[in-house]
Amino acid sequence: MAVTIKDVARLAGVSASSVCRTLAAPDKVRPDTRERVQRAVAELGYYPNRAARGLITGRTGNLGLIVPDIANPFFPDIIKAVEARARELDYAVFLADTDEDPAAEVALIRAMSKQVDGFLLVSARCSDDELRSVYRDLPVVVVQRRVRHVPAVTFDDHDGILQAVGHLATLGHRRVAYVAGPRTSWSNKERQRILRLTTSAVGVELVDTGHAAPTLDGGTAVADLVLATGATAVMTFNDLMALGLLRRFRALGVEVPGDISVVGFDDIPLAELVDPPLTTIALAKQKAGRAGIDMLIGLLNNPETAAPRTVLPTQLTVRASTGPARRG
């Protein structure tokens, strides 16, 4: 016969309600009670029924994870880290893809709200007001997005860009192009802002080539425009766009880094496999996924907590796609 809560309670010498409280919120019971219950659970091999536990706790045991584009290699590391950490904490994860559509993002949140206890939104594209509205109704943590009064895990883009601009300036580059990502991307706006400040501080001219799709084809489509600017180096919103540039430059016979240096952003697995390997700003994606889940579970257990913030470091990874600025 299946082991029940009553069996655990009998062995632990506590009430069934104490067992329920220990399983639902172990930090809210006395240490000696928690120890006896956990020992009884282990000895009996008890595994709580998720549906039954939901009736007791009012929780589903599920978390929602929403990303803008599951095909983008930036997101799998975060997704895997989120699912692994959630599993450790006995939560299941429901994954949804918005296809870069802010309206779909909000619609998915509303549609999934009854099936999950809270949401982790990665690189959310909806407006600040929409995010604040969602957060008023639901436990939400955003990753790679900063909105006032909303819990967030972000990366230190400023330090990474400072390293990249310093690297290019040291190599003699004085005219650098930037290929921007989606208009609705908070991180793209931040990177544009930081680039303007850092290039100005070191005497480098920044050339904005406009927005492009954050994809391989998006980078390919804007490559000719980048060359027309006369820039000796180019930085892109993400690595996929940088790989698209490399593909088009190769087709045109443009040498990298002899004719133009290329710097990406994210350090996706493909970055070190292309020819030449891509210089890029590396982000701690797995740490971000785990930190996001820990923050979300913390909010579920302590809903009155002020919106927490975590900022993770970035690091310039120098490879063969950058070199001295061409002469003449």
Side-chain angles (χ1 to χ4, degrees):
M1 293 179 63
V3 178
T4 68
I5 281 181
K6 289 183 179 180
D7 296 327
V8 175
R10 190 177 302 111
L11 181 60
V14 299
S15 66
S17 60
S18 292
V19 174
C20 292
R21 281 195 299 273
T22 301
L23 296 176
D27 57 320
K28 294 184 178 180
V29 299
R30 290 167 47 186
D32 60 323
T33 300
R34 181 170 63 242
E35 184 179 346
R36 291 205 306 274
V37 170
Q38 290 174 340
R39 191 164 52 241
V41 165
E43 183 175 334
L44 295 173
Y46 174 72
Y47 188 82
N49 179 280
R50 187 177 293 273
R53 186 175 59 186
L55 292 174
I56 298 168
T57 64
R59 295 186 184 177
T60 65
N62 303 320
L63 303 174
L65 171 61
I66 298 180
V67 301
D69 181 8
I70 197 172
N72 186 326
F74 171 75
F75 296 109
D77 278 351
I78 294 179
I79 293 169
K80 286 181 68 67
V82 165
E83 292 188 329
R85 182 57 176 157
R87 195 179 307 117
E88 290 173 5
L89 299 172
D90 198 26
Y91 278 85
V93 175
F94 293 170
L95 173 63
D97 178 347
T98 67
D99 198 25
E100 296 284 352
D101 183 352
E105 198 166 62
V106 176
L108 278 168
I109 292 169
R110 298 303 181 192
M112 296 169 63
S113 62
K114 301 297 184 184
Q115 284 75 49
V116 301
D117 298 324
F119 286 93
L120 196 64
L121 309 179
V122 183
S123 299
R125 303 301 195 221
C126 60
S127 70
D128 288 2
D129 287 343
E130 287 171 321
L131 270 179
R132 279 190 286 264
S133 176
V134 168
Y135 180 57
R136 281 194 293 268
D137 300 332
L138 300 163
V140 169
V141 170
V142 291
V143 175
Q144 190 57 334
R145 176 77 181 266
R146 190 165 57 243
V147 179
R148 193 177 180 186
H149 303 313
V150 178
V153 178
T154 57
F155 301 103
D156 189 356
D157 284 358
H158 183 275
D159 186 51
I161 289 173
L162 191 63
Q163 293 176 56
V165 171
H167 170 64
L168 292 175
T170 300
L171 291 171
H173 296 279
R174 293 295 176 264
R175 186 174 174 83
V176 176
Y178 176 64
V179 181
R183 295 179 186 276
T184 54
S185 167
W186 171 85
S187 56
N188 177 69
K189 294 172 186 174
E190 272 292 284
R191 289 167 191 176
Q192 286 180 302
R193 181 185 67 81
I194 295 167
L195 272 168
R196 284 193 291 268
L197 292 174
T198 53
T199 52
S200 176
V202 297
V204 170
E205 180 185 0
L206 180 66
V207 182
D208 193 338
T209 63
H211 297 269
T215 62
L216 191 69
D217 289 342
T220 301
V222 78
D224 292 55
L225 177 58
V226 170
L227 294 176
T229 67
T232 60
V234 56
M235 295 180 63
T236 58
F237 167 70
N238 69 10
D239 285 347
L240 276 182
M241 301 167 85
L243 300 186
L245 289 177
L246 293 179
R247 180 172 67 178
R248 177 61 177 163
F249 290 161
R250 187 178 302 110
L252 294 173
V254 174
E255 293 186 5
V256 177
D259 296 319
I260 187 168
S261 289
V262 180
V263 178
F265 220 113
D266 293 343
D267 198 19
I268 63 175
L270 286 172
E272 62 180 334
L273 301 178
V274 293
D275 183 23
L278 183 65
T279 293
T280 182
I281 298 169
L283 307 181
K285 298 182 284 293
Q286 293 186 4
K287 287 184 179 179
R290 295 180 67 86
I293 285 295
D294 286 342
M295 189 177 289
L296 181 55
I297 300 302
L299 288 173
L300 290 172
N301 292 334
N302 298 284
E304 302 305 317
T305 304
R309 296 281 175 83
T310 296
V311 180
L312 298 174
T314 55
Q315 178 63 50
L316 179 69
T317 301
V318 178
R319 299 192 179 104
S321 69
T322 50
R326 66 174 185 268
R327 296 180 179 275

